[in-house]
Amino acid sequence: GVQTCALPILGCQAIRAKGGTILAQDKDSSAVWGMPGAVVEAGIASAVVPLSQVAAALSGTFVRERRAAELRA
């Protein structure tokens, strides 16, 4: 079976395969670098940002995706 530690990577890969965005918290601002580190090491993070910039990164992602959707409509 799939090891538990591999499940987040598989989920992130599935999200990316559907065009989704994966943000990872950077190592310096992480209390534990486990899951974000695994995503970064697997090369599937769209962006790696400090905790203080996660909200802005999410907001920017939503704005870009909404504009892209409007252009397609």
Side-chain angles (χ1 to χ4, degrees):
V2 176
Q3 293 183 4
T4 303
C5 61
L7 291 177
I9 298 301
L10 294 174
C12 289
Q13 288 172 331
I15 291 168
R16 287 297 302 263
K18 295 288 185 178
T21 300
I22 304 295
L23 297 178
Q25 184 177 342
D26 72 355
K27 187 174 183 176
D28 289 342
S29 68
S30 294
V32 177
W33 179 237
M35 199 177 308
V39 170
V40 172
E41 289 174 14
I44 52 179
S46 306
V48 182
V49 296
L51 180 59
S52 63
Q53 294 179 14
V54 169
L58 283 172
S59 178
T61 297
F62 293 138
V63 168
R64 283 188 301 279
E65 288 179 2
R66 183 176 181 153
R67 285 184 186 146
E70 289 171 353
L71 291 173
R72 288 189 302 267

